[in-house]
Amino acid sequence: MKLNVVTIDGPSASGKGSLARNLAEYLHFSILDSGLLYRVYAYFHNLNLGTEEIPLLIQKDISFKFNHKDVIVLNDQEDITSELRSEKMAKKASELSSLPTTRENLLSIQRNFYQNKGLVADGRDMGTVVFPEAKLKIFLTASVEIRAERRYLELQNRGQEVNMLALIEDIKQRDLKDSTRTLSPLIPAEDSVVVDSSDMSIEEVLSFTKKLTKGIK
Ligand code: DC
Protein backbone atom coordinates (compact mmCIF):
# COMPACT_ATOMS: atom_id res chain seq x y z
CA MET A 1 0.00 0.00 0.00
CA LYS A 2 1.24 3.47 -0.85
CA LEU A 3 1.96 5.86 2.02
CA ASN A 4 1.02 9.52 2.28
CA VAL A 5 4.67 10.45 2.02
CA VAL A 6 6.53 12.84 -0.25
CA THR A 7 10.23 12.00 -0.43
CA ILE A 8 12.79 14.57 -1.53
CA ASP A 9 16.23 13.16 -2.16
CA GLY A 10 19.26 14.84 -3.65
CA PRO A 11 22.82 16.02 -3.06
CA SER A 12 24.01 18.54 -0.45
CA ALA A 13 22.66 22.06 -0.75
CA SER A 14 20.25 21.26 -3.56
CA GLY A 15 17.48 23.09 -1.69
CA LYS A 16 15.77 19.95 -0.31
CA GLY A 17 15.34 21.44 3.16
CA SER A 18 13.50 24.57 2.14
CA LEU A 19 11.39 22.69 -0.41
CA ALA A 20 10.49 20.11 2.25
CA ARG A 21 9.43 22.80 4.73
CA ASN A 22 7.35 24.60 2.12
CA LEU A 23 5.62 21.46 0.86
CA ALA A 24 4.96 20.24 4.41
CA GLU A 25 3.32 23.56 5.22
CA TYR A 26 1.29 23.44 2.02
CA LEU A 27 0.09 19.87 2.55
CA HIS A 28 -0.21 20.15 6.38
CA PHE A 29 2.16 17.18 6.67
CA SER A 30 4.85 16.51 9.29
CA ILE A 31 8.45 16.70 8.26
CA LEU A 32 11.63 14.64 8.55
CA ASP A 33 15.00 16.24 7.83
CA SER A 34 17.00 13.01 7.79
CA GLY A 35 20.32 14.79 7.16
CA LEU A 36 19.84 16.56 10.45
CA LEU A 37 19.26 13.21 12.12
CA TYR A 38 22.58 11.97 10.70
CA ARG A 39 24.20 15.14 12.03
CA VAL A 40 22.69 14.49 15.50
CA TYR A 41 24.18 11.00 15.29
CA ALA A 42 27.58 12.55 14.46
CA TYR A 43 27.19 15.03 17.33
CA PHE A 44 26.71 12.21 19.86
CA HIS A 45 29.49 10.21 18.25
CA ASN A 46 31.83 13.19 18.78
CA LEU A 47 30.93 13.05 22.47
CA ASN A 48 32.34 9.50 22.44
CA LEU A 49 28.98 7.85 23.01
CA GLY A 50 28.59 4.20 21.92
CA THR A 51 26.57 3.13 18.88
CA GLU A 52 23.99 1.30 21.05
CA GLU A 53 23.46 4.35 23.24
CA ILE A 54 23.02 6.93 20.47
CA PRO A 55 19.60 5.78 19.11
CA LEU A 56 18.22 5.66 22.65
CA LEU A 57 19.49 9.16 23.38
CA ILE A 58 18.04 10.47 20.13
CA GLN A 59 14.61 9.13 21.08
CA LYS A 60 14.85 10.30 24.68
CA ASP A 61 16.52 13.72 24.50
CA ILE A 62 16.32 15.10 20.96
CA SER A 63 13.43 17.19 19.74
CA PHE A 64 12.94 18.90 16.40
CA LYS A 65 11.02 22.17 16.26
CA PHE A 66 9.94 23.22 12.79
CA ASN A 67 8.86 26.57 11.52
CA HIS A 68 8.50 27.99 8.05
CA LYS A 69 12.12 29.11 7.85
CA ASP A 70 14.18 26.68 9.84
CA VAL A 71 14.45 23.62 12.04
CA ILE A 72 15.66 23.97 15.61
CA VAL A 73 17.16 20.93 17.31
CA LEU A 74 17.11 20.69 21.09
CA ASN A 75 19.21 18.25 23.06
CA ASP A 76 17.21 18.18 26.25
CA GLN A 77 16.81 21.97 26.56
CA GLU A 78 20.04 22.97 24.79
CA ASP A 79 19.82 24.40 21.25
CA ILE A 80 22.49 22.53 19.24
CA THR A 81 21.32 23.63 15.77
CA SER A 82 24.27 25.79 14.74
CA GLU A 83 26.77 23.15 15.82
CA LEU A 84 24.86 20.59 13.75
CA ARG A 85 24.79 22.90 10.74
CA SER A 86 28.59 23.38 10.65
CA GLU A 87 30.65 21.90 7.80
CA LYS A 88 32.61 19.93 10.39
CA MET A 89 29.46 18.09 11.47
CA ALA A 90 28.39 17.60 7.84
CA LYS A 91 31.68 15.85 7.11
CA LYS A 92 31.43 13.66 10.21
CA ALA A 93 27.82 12.75 9.34
CA SER A 94 28.86 11.84 5.82
CA GLU A 95 31.67 9.59 7.12
CA LEU A 96 29.42 7.82 9.64
CA SER A 97 26.59 7.45 7.13
CA SER A 98 28.55 4.88 5.13
CA LEU A 99 28.62 2.48 8.13
CA PRO A 100 25.90 -0.21 8.25
CA THR A 101 25.37 0.24 12.03
CA THR A 102 24.62 3.93 11.59
CA ARG A 103 22.05 3.31 8.84
CA GLU A 104 20.43 0.41 10.74
CA ASN A 105 20.27 2.46 13.93
CA LEU A 106 18.53 5.31 12.18
CA LEU A 107 16.12 3.35 9.97
CA SER A 108 13.30 2.75 12.44
CA ILE A 109 13.72 6.21 13.99
CA GLN A 110 13.15 7.70 10.52
CA ARG A 111 10.14 5.45 9.77
CA ASN A 112 8.58 6.48 13.09
CA PHE A 113 8.31 10.03 11.80
CA TYR A 114 5.45 8.81 9.60
CA GLN A 115 2.09 9.22 11.28
CA ASN A 116 -1.22 8.89 9.44
CA LYS A 117 -1.57 12.54 8.53
CA GLY A 118 1.36 12.41 6.11
CA LEU A 119 5.04 13.22 5.94
CA VAL A 120 7.53 15.08 3.78
CA ALA A 121 10.92 13.39 4.20
CA ASP A 122 14.14 14.76 2.78
CA GLY A 123 17.54 13.12 2.51
CA ARG A 124 19.51 10.78 0.27
CA ASP A 125 17.65 7.47 0.44
CA MET A 126 14.12 8.45 1.47
CA GLY A 127 12.56 7.17 -1.77
CA THR A 128 14.85 4.19 -2.30
CA VAL A 129 15.22 2.70 1.21
CA VAL A 130 13.32 4.42 4.02
CA PHE A 131 9.96 5.06 2.30
CA PRO A 132 9.91 2.97 -0.89
CA GLU A 133 6.07 3.03 -0.62
CA ALA A 134 5.90 6.84 -0.84
CA LYS A 135 3.19 8.24 -3.11
CA LEU A 136 5.46 10.93 -4.55
CA LYS A 137 9.24 10.83 -4.94
CA ILE A 138 11.22 13.88 -5.97
CA PHE A 139 14.94 13.90 -6.76
CA LEU A 140 16.16 17.49 -6.48
CA THR A 141 19.52 18.42 -7.90
CA ALA A 142 21.56 21.43 -9.14
CA SER A 143 25.11 22.05 -10.39
CA VAL A 144 27.96 21.99 -7.84
CA GLU A 145 28.66 25.72 -8.34
CA ILE A 146 25.06 26.74 -7.75
CA ARG A 147 24.81 24.53 -4.68
CA ALA A 148 28.08 25.92 -3.27
CA GLU A 149 26.80 29.47 -3.78
CA ARG A 150 23.56 28.65 -1.93
CA ARG A 151 25.41 26.94 0.93
CA TYR A 152 27.83 29.91 1.12
CA LEU A 153 24.96 32.34 1.62
CA GLU A 154 23.27 30.05 4.11
CA LEU A 155 26.42 29.67 6.24
CA GLN A 156 27.13 33.41 6.02
CA ASN A 157 23.61 34.15 7.23
CA ARG A 158 24.29 31.87 10.16
CA GLY A 159 27.39 33.95 10.96
CA GLN A 160 29.85 31.20 9.96
CA GLU A 161 33.09 32.03 8.11
CA VAL A 162 33.41 30.18 4.79
CA ASN A 163 35.82 29.96 1.89
CA MET A 164 34.07 29.47 -1.45
CA LEU A 165 36.74 27.28 -3.08
CA ALA A 166 37.01 25.06 -0.02
CA LEU A 167 33.22 24.77 0.00
CA ILE A 168 33.11 23.65 -3.66
CA GLU A 169 35.77 21.06 -2.91
CA ASP A 170 33.91 19.84 0.21
CA ILE A 171 30.65 19.50 -1.70
CA LYS A 172 32.36 17.58 -4.53
CA GLN A 173 33.98 15.21 -2.06
CA ARG A 174 30.71 14.63 -0.23
CA ASP A 175 28.81 14.07 -3.51
CA LEU A 176 31.34 11.47 -4.51
CA LYS A 177 31.20 9.71 -1.13
CA ASP A 178 27.40 9.86 -0.91
CA SER A 179 26.82 8.55 -4.44
CA THR A 180 29.47 5.82 -4.53
CA ARG A 181 28.97 4.20 -1.10
CA THR A 182 27.68 0.63 -1.24
CA LEU A 183 24.89 1.14 1.28
CA SER A 184 21.97 3.37 0.29
CA PRO A 185 23.93 5.41 -2.26
CA LEU A 186 22.53 8.71 -3.42
CA ILE A 187 20.64 7.74 -6.58
CA PRO A 188 17.20 8.69 -7.85
CA ALA A 189 14.52 6.08 -7.15
CA GLU A 190 13.26 4.55 -10.41
CA ASP A 191 9.84 6.05 -9.88
CA SER A 192 11.09 9.52 -8.88
CA VAL A 193 10.62 12.81 -10.69
CA VAL A 194 14.04 14.40 -11.23
CA VAL A 195 14.07 18.19 -10.85
CA ASP A 196 17.23 20.11 -11.81
CA SER A 197 16.93 23.45 -10.01
CA SER A 198 20.15 25.03 -11.40
CA ASP A 199 18.16 27.57 -13.41
CA MET A 200 15.07 27.71 -11.23
CA SER A 201 14.19 30.01 -8.35
CA ILE A 202 12.87 28.56 -5.08
CA GLU A 203 9.39 29.78 -6.08
CA GLU A 204 9.59 28.01 -9.45
CA VAL A 205 10.66 24.73 -7.84
CA LEU A 206 7.87 25.06 -5.31
CA SER A 207 5.13 25.78 -7.82
CA PHE A 208 6.30 22.90 -10.06
CA THR A 209 6.40 20.41 -7.20
CA LYS A 210 3.10 21.61 -5.70
CA LYS A 211 1.47 20.52 -8.97
CA LEU A 212 3.01 17.07 -8.54
CA THR A 213 1.35 16.68 -5.14
CA LYS A 214 -2.18 16.92 -6.60
CA GLY A 215 -4.26 14.02 -5.39
CA ILE A 216 -1.78 12.92 -2.76
CA LYS A 217 -3.88 13.55 0.35
O1 DC B 1 21.55 16.70 4.08
P1 DC B 1 22.72 16.94 5.00
O2 DC B 1 23.86 17.67 4.33
O3 DC B 1 22.31 17.59 6.28
O4 DC B 1 23.27 15.46 5.37
C1 DC B 1 24.45 15.27 6.11
C2 DC B 1 25.09 13.94 5.74
O5 DC B 1 24.26 12.86 6.19
C3 DC B 1 25.26 13.68 4.24
O6 DC B 1 26.55 14.01 3.79
C4 DC B 1 25.04 12.22 4.07
C5 DC B 1 24.25 11.80 5.26
N1 DC B 1 22.87 11.43 4.95
C6 DC B 1 22.63 10.14 4.51
O7 DC B 1 23.57 9.37 4.32
N2 DC B 1 21.36 9.72 4.27
C7 DC B 1 20.32 10.56 4.44
N3 DC B 1 19.08 10.13 4.21
C8 DC B 1 20.56 11.89 4.87
C9 DC B 1 21.85 12.30 5.11
Side-chain angles (χ1 to χ4, degrees), residues 11-16 18 140-158 162 164 167-168 171 195-205:
S12 296
S14 56
K16 301 181 301 269
S18 84
L140 185 64
T141 186
S143 71
V144 173
E145 290 73 20
I146 296 278
R147 287 187 284 129
E149 215 174 285
R150 291 177 188 163
R151 182 51 63 87
Y152 182 87
L153 293 175
E154 182 197 327
L155 291 172
Q156 244 190 1
N157 278 340
R158 292 179 194 277
V162 264
M164 188 61 166
L167 200 55
I168 292 185
I171 289 183
V195 181
D196 185 336
S197 72
S198 301
D199 298 317
M200 290 167 91
S201 65
I202 293 181
E203 291 72 27
E204 284 169 329
V205 174

Coordinates of all heavy atoms in Angstrom, one line a residue, residues 11-16 18 140-158 162 164 167-168 171 195-205:
P11 N 21.5 15.7 -3.7 CA 22.8 16.0 -3.1 C 22.8 17.2 -2.1 O 21.8 17.9 -2.0 CB 23.7 16.3 -4.3 CG 22.7 16.8 -5.3 CD 21.5 16.1 -5.1
S12 N 23.9 17.4 -1.4 CA 24.0 18.5 -0.4 C 23.7 19.9 -1.1 O 24.0 20.1 -2.2 CB 25.5 18.7 0.0 OG 25.9 17.6 0.7
A13 N 23.0 20.7 -0.3 CA 22.7 22.1 -0.8 C 21.9 22.2 -2.1 O 22.0 23.2 -2.8 CB 24.0 22.9 -0.8
S14 N 21.1 21.2 -2.3 CA 20.2 21.3 -3.6 C 18.9 22.0 -3.3 O 18.1 22.2 -4.2 CB 20.0 19.9 -4.1 OG 19.4 19.1 -3.2
G15 N 18.7 22.4 -2.0 CA 17.5 23.1 -1.7 C 16.4 22.2 -1.2 O 15.2 22.6 -1.0
K16 N 16.8 20.9 -0.8 CA 15.8 20.0 -0.3 C 15.1 20.5 0.9 O 13.9 20.3 1.1 CB 16.4 18.6 0.1 CG 17.2 17.9 -1.0 CD 17.8 16.6 -0.6 CE 18.7 16.8 0.6 NZ 20.1 17.0 0.3
S18 N 14.5 23.5 2.2 CA 13.5 24.6 2.1 C 12.3 24.1 1.3 O 11.2 24.4 1.7 CB 14.1 25.9 1.6 OG 14.1 25.9 0.2
L140 N 15.8 16.1 -6.2 CA 16.2 17.5 -6.5 C 17.7 17.7 -6.6 O 18.4 17.3 -5.7 CB 15.6 18.3 -5.3 CG 15.7 19.8 -5.5 CD1 14.9 20.4 -6.6 CD2 15.3 20.5 -4.2
T141 N 18.1 18.2 -7.7 CA 19.5 18.4 -7.9 C 19.8 19.8 -8.5 O 18.9 20.6 -8.8 CB 20.1 17.3 -8.8 OG1 21.5 17.4 -8.8 CG2 19.5 17.3 -10.2
A142 N 21.1 20.2 -8.5 CA 21.6 21.4 -9.1 C 23.1 21.3 -9.3 O 23.7 20.4 -8.7 CB 21.2 22.6 -8.2
S143 N 23.7 22.2 -10.1 CA 25.1 22.0 -10.4 C 25.9 22.3 -9.1 O 25.4 23.0 -8.2 CB 25.5 23.1 -11.5 OG 25.5 24.4 -10.9
V144 N 27.1 21.8 -9.0 CA 28.0 22.0 -7.8 C 28.1 23.5 -7.5 O 28.0 23.9 -6.4 CB 29.4 21.4 -8.0 CG1 30.3 21.7 -6.9 CG2 29.2 19.9 -8.2
E145 N 28.4 24.3 -8.6 CA 28.7 25.7 -8.3 C 27.4 26.4 -7.7 O 27.6 27.2 -6.8 CB 29.0 26.4 -9.7 CG 30.4 26.0 -10.2 CD 30.4 24.6 -10.8 OE1 29.3 24.1 -11.1 OE2 31.5 24.0 -10.9
I146 N 26.3 26.1 -8.3 CA 25.1 26.7 -7.7 C 24.8 26.3 -6.3 O 24.5 27.1 -5.4 CB 23.8 26.3 -8.6 CG1 24.0 26.9 -10.0 CG2 22.5 26.8 -8.0 CD1 23.6 28.3 -10.2
R147 N 25.0 25.0 -6.0 CA 24.8 24.5 -4.7 C 25.8 25.2 -3.7 O 25.4 25.5 -2.6 CB 24.9 23.0 -4.7 CG 23.7 22.4 -5.3 CD 23.7 20.9 -5.1 NE 24.6 20.2 -6.0 CZ 25.5 19.3 -5.6 NH1 25.6 19.0 -4.4 NH2 26.3 18.7 -6.5
A148 N 27.1 25.3 -4.1 CA 28.1 25.9 -3.3 C 27.7 27.4 -3.0 O 27.8 27.8 -1.8 CB 29.5 25.9 -3.9
E149 N 27.2 28.1 -4.0 CA 26.8 29.5 -3.8 C 25.7 29.6 -2.8 O 25.7 30.4 -1.9 CB 26.3 30.0 -5.1 CG 26.6 31.4 -5.4 CD 26.2 31.7 -6.8 OE1 26.9 31.3 -7.8 OE2 25.1 32.4 -7.0
R150 N 24.7 28.6 -2.9 CA 23.6 28.7 -1.9 C 24.0 28.3 -0.5 O 23.6 29.0 0.4 CB 22.5 27.6 -2.4 CG 21.8 28.0 -3.6 CD 20.8 26.9 -4.0 NE 20.2 27.1 -5.4 CZ 19.6 26.2 -6.1 NH1 19.5 25.0 -5.6 NH2 19.1 26.5 -7.2
R151 N 24.9 27.3 -0.4 CA 25.4 26.9 0.9 C 26.2 28.1 1.5 O 26.2 28.4 2.7 CB 26.2 25.7 0.8 CG 26.8 25.1 2.1 CD 25.8 24.9 3.2 NE 24.7 23.9 3.0 CZ 24.8 22.6 3.2 NH1 25.9 22.1 3.7 NH2 23.7 21.9 3.1
Y152 N 27.0 28.8 0.7 CA 27.8 29.9 1.1 C 26.9 31.0 1.8 O 27.2 31.4 2.9 CB 28.6 30.5 -0.1 CG 29.5 31.6 0.2 CD1 30.8 31.4 0.6 CD2 29.1 33.0 0.1 CE1 31.7 32.5 0.9 CE2 29.9 34.0 0.4 CZ 31.2 33.8 0.7 OH 32.0 34.8 1.0
L153 N 25.9 31.3 1.1 CA 25.0 32.3 1.6 C 24.3 31.9 2.9 O 24.2 32.6 3.9 CB 23.9 32.7 0.6 CG 24.4 33.4 -0.7 CD1 23.3 33.6 -1.7 CD2 25.0 34.8 -0.3
E154 N 23.9 30.6 2.9 CA 23.3 30.0 4.1 C 24.2 30.1 5.3 O 23.8 30.6 6.4 CB 22.9 28.6 3.8 CG 22.1 27.9 5.0 CD 22.1 26.4 4.8 OE1 22.1 25.9 3.7 OE2 22.2 25.7 5.9
L155 N 25.5 29.7 5.1 CA 26.4 29.7 6.2 C 26.7 31.1 6.7 O 26.9 31.4 7.9 CB 27.7 28.9 5.9 CG 27.5 27.4 5.7 CD1 28.8 26.7 5.1 CD2 27.2 26.7 7.0
Q156 N 26.9 32.0 5.7 CA 27.1 33.4 6.0 C 26.0 34.0 6.9 O 26.2 34.7 7.8 CB 27.3 34.2 4.7 CG 28.6 34.8 4.6 CD 28.7 35.8 3.4 OE1 27.7 36.0 2.7 NE2 29.9 36.3 3.2
N157 N 24.8 33.7 6.5 CA 23.6 34.1 7.2 C 23.6 33.6 8.6 O 23.1 34.2 9.5 CB 22.3 33.7 6.6 CG 21.9 34.6 5.4 OD1 22.4 35.8 5.4 ND2 21.1 34.1 4.5
R158 N 24.2 32.4 8.8 CA 24.3 31.9 10.2 C 25.5 32.4 10.9 O 25.8 31.9 12.0 CB 24.4 30.3 10.1 CG 23.2 29.7 9.6 CD 23.3 28.2 9.6 NE 22.3 27.5 8.8 CZ 21.1 27.2 9.3 NH1 20.8 27.5 10.5 NH2 20.2 26.7 8.5
V162 N 33.2 31.2 5.8 CA 33.4 30.2 4.8 C 34.3 30.6 3.6 O 34.3 31.8 3.3 CB 32.1 29.7 4.2 CG1 31.6 28.5 4.9 CG2 31.0 30.8 4.2
M164 N 34.8 30.0 -0.3 CA 34.1 29.5 -1.5 C 34.8 28.3 -2.1 O 34.1 27.2 -2.4 CB 33.8 30.6 -2.5 CG 32.9 30.2 -3.6 SD 31.3 29.8 -2.9 CE 30.3 29.8 -4.3
L167 N 34.6 25.3 0.0 CA 33.2 24.8 0.0 C 32.9 23.9 -1.2 O 32.3 22.8 -1.1 CB 32.3 26.0 0.1 CG 30.9 25.8 0.6 CD1 30.9 25.1 1.9 CD2 30.1 27.1 0.6
I168 N 33.3 24.4 -2.4 CA 33.1 23.7 -3.7 C 33.8 22.3 -3.5 O 33.2 21.3 -3.9 CB 33.6 24.4 -4.9 CG1 32.8 25.7 -5.1 CG2 33.6 23.5 -6.1 CD1 33.1 26.5 -6.4
I171 N 31.9 20.0 -1.1 CA 30.6 19.5 -1.7 C 30.9 18.4 -2.7 O 30.3 17.4 -2.7 CB 29.8 20.7 -2.3 CG1 29.3 21.5 -1.2 CG2 28.7 20.1 -3.2 CD1 28.4 22.7 -1.6
V195 N 14.2 16.8 -10.6 CA 14.1 18.2 -10.8 C 15.5 18.8 -10.7 O 16.1 18.8 -9.7 CB 13.1 18.8 -9.8 CG1 13.0 20.3 -10.0 CG2 11.8 18.1 -9.8
D196 N 15.9 19.4 -11.8 CA 17.2 20.1 -11.8 C 16.9 21.6 -11.6 O 16.4 22.3 -12.4 CB 18.0 19.9 -13.1 CG 19.4 20.5 -13.1 OD1 19.6 21.5 -12.3 OD2 20.3 20.1 -13.8
S197 N 17.3 22.1 -10.4 CA 16.9 23.4 -10.0 C 18.0 24.5 -10.3 O 17.9 25.6 -9.9 CB 16.6 23.5 -8.5 OG 17.8 23.4 -7.8
S198 N 19.0 24.1 -11.1 CA 20.1 25.0 -11.4 C 19.6 26.4 -11.9 O 20.1 27.4 -11.5 CB 21.1 24.4 -12.4 OG 21.6 23.2 -12.0
D199 N 18.7 26.3 -12.8 CA 18.2 27.6 -13.4 C 16.8 27.9 -12.9 O 16.0 28.6 -13.6 CB 18.2 27.5 -14.9 CG 19.6 27.3 -15.5 OD1 20.5 27.9 -15.0 OD2 19.7 26.4 -16.3
M200 N 16.4 27.4 -11.7 CA 15.1 27.7 -11.2 C 15.2 28.4 -9.9 O 16.1 28.2 -9.1 CB 14.3 26.4 -11.0 CG 13.9 25.7 -12.3 SD 13.4 24.0 -11.9 CE 11.6 24.2 -11.6
S201 N 14.2 29.4 -9.7 CA 14.2 30.0 -8.3 C 13.5 29.1 -7.4 O 12.8 28.1 -7.8 CB 13.4 31.3 -8.4 OG 12.1 31.0 -8.8
I202 N 13.6 29.4 -6.1 CA 12.9 28.6 -5.1 C 11.4 28.5 -5.4 O 10.7 27.5 -5.3 CB 13.1 29.1 -3.7 CG1 14.6 29.0 -3.3 CG2 12.2 28.5 -2.6 CD1 14.9 29.5 -1.9
E203 N 10.8 29.7 -5.8 CA 9.4 29.8 -6.1 C 9.0 28.9 -7.3 O 8.0 28.2 -7.3 CB 9.0 31.2 -6.4 CG 9.0 32.2 -5.2 CD 10.5 32.6 -4.8 OE1 11.4 32.5 -5.7 OE2 10.7 32.9 -3.7
E204 N 9.9 28.8 -8.3 CA 9.6 28.0 -9.4 C 9.6 26.5 -9.1 O 8.7 25.8 -9.5 CB 10.6 28.3 -10.6 CG 10.3 29.6 -11.3 CD 11.5 30.0 -12.2 OE1 12.7 29.7 -11.9 OE2 11.2 30.6 -13.2
V205 N 10.6 26.1 -8.3 CA 10.7 24.7 -7.8 C 9.4 24.4 -7.0 O 8.8 23.3 -7.2 CB 11.9 24.5 -7.0 CG1 11.9 23.1 -6.4 CG2 13.2 24.7 -7.8

